[in-house]
Amino acid sequence: MEKKKFRFNIIDAIILLVILAAIALLVYVFVISDKTVEEYDKYQIECVMEVTRINENLAGELEIGEGSNVYNPANNKLIGKVVAEPEFKNTITTAFDESTGQEIYPEVEGLKDIFITVRVEAEKTEWGYSAGDLYFVVNSSARFRVGDFECNATCLDLKVVE
């Protein structure tokens, strides 16, 4: 039996280039691109956070005031401070009055809404403002802790201070 000589032709070269390109792409995606960290600009922002439907007895005992520290409860990172005394309002709900055919907005007895204004140093990202692994965007919810009070709150208003 006769041995055939190995010949390297153009198709072998194309296959080899495709394999090398695939390996280079995988190395870039899984090794190099993970090490690129984008630097974002930092801003001081003030955000009015609304905590809804808190028992009025609990709301009266909360020790939240101007200067209180605000933390991310997931990792206990300090993210900012309360910059104004919290505002307590009666919880209002939406109902339907069948006799008049109109929406009505009665107060819910025993429940309060709390409005807390916090100031944080945050990075502006493509998803909003980020501080301590929390994102602050108008009409979005964030979980934070002030003193012993941990809650979910909705950002109602957000403005850049500096």
Side-chain angles (χ1 to χ4, degrees):
M1 206 175 222
E2 222 178 289
K3 281 190 175 182
K4 289 189 177 182
K5 284 187 172 181
F6 175 71
R7 293 176 137 181
F8 188 77
N9 58 32
I10 189 83
I11 294 182
D12 295 329
I14 292 172
I15 292 171
L16 188 61
L17 286 175
V18 168
I19 292 171
L20 289 174
I23 291 171
L25 180 65
L26 290 174
V27 166
Y28 175 75
V29 168
F30 291 108
V31 178
I32 298 171
S33 67
D34 286 347
K35 293 181 181 175
T36 57
V37 177
E38 291 188 44
E39 291 289 326
Y40 294 107
D41 294 333
K42 292 190 184 264
Y43 298 92
Q44 290 286 325
I45 62 168
E46 279 187 11
C47 191
V48 177
M49 305 296 286
E50 178 188 31
V51 184
T52 59
R53 298 178 178 259
I54 301 298
N55 182 298
E56 69 182 351
N57 295 329
L58 172 67
E61 294 178 12
L62 292 177
E63 295 180 13
I64 300 173
E66 190 173 344
S68 298
N69 290 331
V70 179
Y71 297 91
N72 178 349
N75 55 20
N76 213 27
K77 281 186 181 177
L78 176 66
I79 58 170
K81 289 196 175 287
V82 176
V83 293
E85 288 298 319
E87 197 176 326
F88 296 88
K89 293 185 178 178
N90 293 330
T91 298
I92 297 175
T93 188
T94 304
F96 184 75
D97 185 357
E98 291 186 23
S99 63
T100 63
Q102 300 289 320
E103 280 187 0
I104 56 173
Y105 305 98
E107 291 182 355
V108 179
E109 191 173 316
L111 297 179
K112 296 282 185 182
D113 293 343
I114 307 170
F115 299 87
I116 304 169
T117 304
V118 298
R119 180 179 287 180
V120 298
E121 181 178 48
E123 296 178 333
K124 184 172 182 174
T125 69
E126 56 267 13
W127 300 287
Y129 291 92
S130 171
D133 299 331
L134 293 177
Y135 284 95
F136 293 90
V137 181
V138 174
N139 290 330
S140 70
S141 179
R143 186 160 192 83
F144 65 90
R145 181 174 57 84
V146 179
D148 292 335
F149 181 61
E150 185 174 326
C151 61
N152 282 328
T154 302
C155 179
L156 298 181
D157 184 33
L158 187 142
K159 65 182 175 183
V160 176
V161 179
E162 294 175 12

